[in-house]
């Protein structure tokens, strides 16, 4: 069956000084009668904070609420998230909500670097406090560049994280561009992680970057939706982001499948050239995907559904 695109459901109007542009990397949280979607948004200095919208669970194109403040501010000067906090997954852990996020800091020889942070909420996800000032998944001797975009499943007391890991920077037309690949980590408590450096999603091309996994358990194992692009002409050009799909029996070794039917860019409008950053939930007999289109979230958040999933 093919996914059905429902179009853009939210674009920031620039009314807040902390949210001038972008609703990047949507992270969906299923609630009783609604779906809350956290997203990264940018100010005039291009620094990102996370906030959220709420949509009708029965009709995810119906906007119910736009939160009027960020859920967490930028990190302290010199820390891993001093220039950006972009939520990637929000999950219930006991009576708290935990948000794993991408922390952004500006680079020197390269434009920026990212690492994975953790923050916790005790007020239902309206505000979050950092578990640590530093990251929980970062550069290692075997992953020397950056980490980003985590997605986690807890099974039998074991926490499994799939995340984007930097594999290098390539110079294209005089500018350094990042490459990355989905990798794997484990934890017993969600706080201390064992990074395996195991690459999950095979690259189609040496210049490919794949990241932002969204993983779901199936009767036969696991399925994953992810973003991938080339390092050339990827800013809404010929090499721009697409949404890929893979399956696995064990969550470790993945078979890359054809791109999901129905999720290609439309050729016009808000996602004319690009589809990226999927976040998939299952609700009421269907799968619901929130994603970005053109401009890495500048054109807003869209929604697609797969019925009878």
């Amino acid at each position: 069956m093919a996914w059905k695109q429902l179009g853009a459901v939210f674009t920031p109007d620039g009314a807040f000084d902390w949210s001038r542009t972008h609703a990047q990397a949507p992270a969906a949280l299923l609630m009783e009668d609604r779906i809350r979607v956290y997203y990264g948004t940018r100010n005039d200095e291009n620094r990102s904070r996370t906030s959220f919208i709420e949509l009708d669970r029965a009709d995810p194109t119906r906007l119910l609420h736009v939160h009027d403040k960020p859920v967490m501010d930028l990190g302290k000067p010199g820390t891993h998230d001093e220039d950006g906090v972009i939520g990637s997954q929000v999950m219930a852990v006991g009576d708290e909500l935990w948000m794993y996020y991408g922390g952004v800091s500006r680079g020197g020889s390269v434009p920026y670097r990212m690492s994975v942070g953790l923050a916790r909420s005790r007020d239902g996800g309206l505000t979050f406090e950092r578990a640590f000032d530093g990251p929980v998944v970062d550069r290692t001797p075997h992953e020397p560049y950056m980490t980003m975009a985590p997605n986690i499943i807890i099974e039998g007391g074991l926490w499994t994280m799939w995340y984007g890991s930097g594999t290098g920077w390539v110079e294209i037309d005089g500018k350094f561009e990042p490459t990355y690949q989905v990798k794997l980590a484990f934890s017993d408590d969600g706080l201390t992680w064992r990074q395996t450096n195991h690459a999950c999603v095979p690259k189609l091309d040496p210049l490919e970057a794949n990241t932002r996994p969204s993983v779901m358990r199936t009767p036969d194992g696991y399925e994953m939706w992810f973003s991938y692009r080339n390092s050339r002409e990827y800013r809404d050009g010929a090499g721009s982001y697409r949404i890929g799909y893979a399956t696995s029996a064990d969550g470790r070794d993945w078979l890359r499948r054809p791109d999901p039917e129905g999720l290609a860019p439309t050729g016009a409008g808000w996602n004319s050239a690009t589809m990226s950053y999927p976040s998939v939930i299952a609700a009421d007999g269907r799968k619901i995907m929130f994603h970005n289109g053109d401009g890495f979230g500048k054109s807003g958040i869209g929604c697609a559904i797969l019925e009878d999933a």
Side-chain angles (χ1 to χ4, degrees), residues 58 123 173 212 240 281:
D123 62 4
D173 298 328
R212 187 55 198 277
S240 62
I281 57 174

Side-chain angles (χ1 to χ4, degrees), residues 63-297:
L63 184 64
L64 302 177
H65 173 69
V66 179
H67 199 52
D68 62 357
K69 54 182 68 67
V71 299
M72 188 171 73
D73 211 337
L74 301 176
K76 298 174 183 176
T79 57
H80 79 114
D81 54 0
E82 65 174 333
D83 293 309
V85 174
I86 303 175
S88 189
Q89 183 178 12
V90 177
M91 57 193 300
V93 180
D95 58 358
E96 299 180 337
L97 288 177
W98 287 23
M99 179 173 71
Y100 289 89
Y101 66 91
V104 184
S105 56
R106 292 172 179 167
S109 59
V110 296
Y112 64 91
R113 63 171 294 234
M114 296 189 70
S115 49
V116 175
L118 170 63
R120 298 180 287 203
S121 174
R122 296 177 176 87
D123 62 4
L126 301 181
T127 61
F128 287 81
E129 295 183 0
R130 288 169 176 79
F132 313 99
D133 284 332
V136 294
V137 173
D138 198 4
R139 299 184 291 189
T140 72
H142 301 292
E143 296 180 67
Y145 295 102
M146 57 181 171
T147 59
M148 70 203 80
N151 187 241
I152 294 136
I153 288 179
I154 308 171
E155 295 179 296
L158 180 66
W159 299 54
T160 303
M161 176 190 289
W162 299 267
Y163 64 97
S165 177
T167 55
W169 290 82
V170 294
E171 189 171 357
I172 305 291
D173 298 328
K175 181 178 180 178
F176 281 109
E177 304 287 7
T179 60
Y180 24 78
Q181 193 167 15
V182 174
K183 293 190 177 179
L184 185 66
F186 298 104
S187 176
D188 299 317
D189 58 9
L191 303 173
T192 302
W193 290 89
R194 303 181 295 276
Q195 293 167 241
T196 67
N197 194 35
H198 176 74
C200 294
V201 178
K203 292 189 177 189
L204 299 177
D205 182 281
L207 292 180
E208 180 180 285
N210 61 62
T211 186
R212 187 55 198 277
S214 183
V215 179
M216 189 172 291
R217 199 67 165 93
T218 71
D220 301 319
Y222 303 84
E223 56 184 348
M224 176 195 296
W225 299 264
F226 60 92
S227 291
Y228 73 96
R229 61 162 176 79
N230 199 273
S231 296
R232 298 184 184 275
E233 299 182 55
Y234 72 87
R235 293 175 175 83
D236 298 339
S240 62
Y241 271 117
R242 299 291 187 270
I243 293 176
Y245 181 68
T247 59
S248 173
D250 59 7
R252 183 182 187 277
D253 298 310
W254 292 80
L255 177 63
R256 190 163 180 168
R257 304 285 188 173
D259 289 355
E261 187 178 352
L263 293 180
T266 60
W270 80 284
N271 63 338
S272 62
T274 304
M275 290 281 282
S276 65
Y277 308 142
S279 176
V280 182
I281 57 174
D284 310 317
R286 59 184 178 173
K287 291 187 176 78
I288 305 172
M289 175 186 291
F290 297 95
H291 59 85
N292 287 136
D294 296 347
F296 311 103

Side-chain angles (χ1 to χ4, degrees), residues 17-19 39-43 45 47-51 70-74 83-87:
D17 59 5
W18 52 272
S19 178
Y39 62 92
T41 187
R42 305 185 191 184
N43 67 4
E45 298 176 333
R47 301 169 92 189
S48 296
R49 292 168 173 84
T50 291
S51 191
V71 299
M72 188 171 73
D73 211 337
L74 301 176
D83 293 309
V85 174
I86 303 175

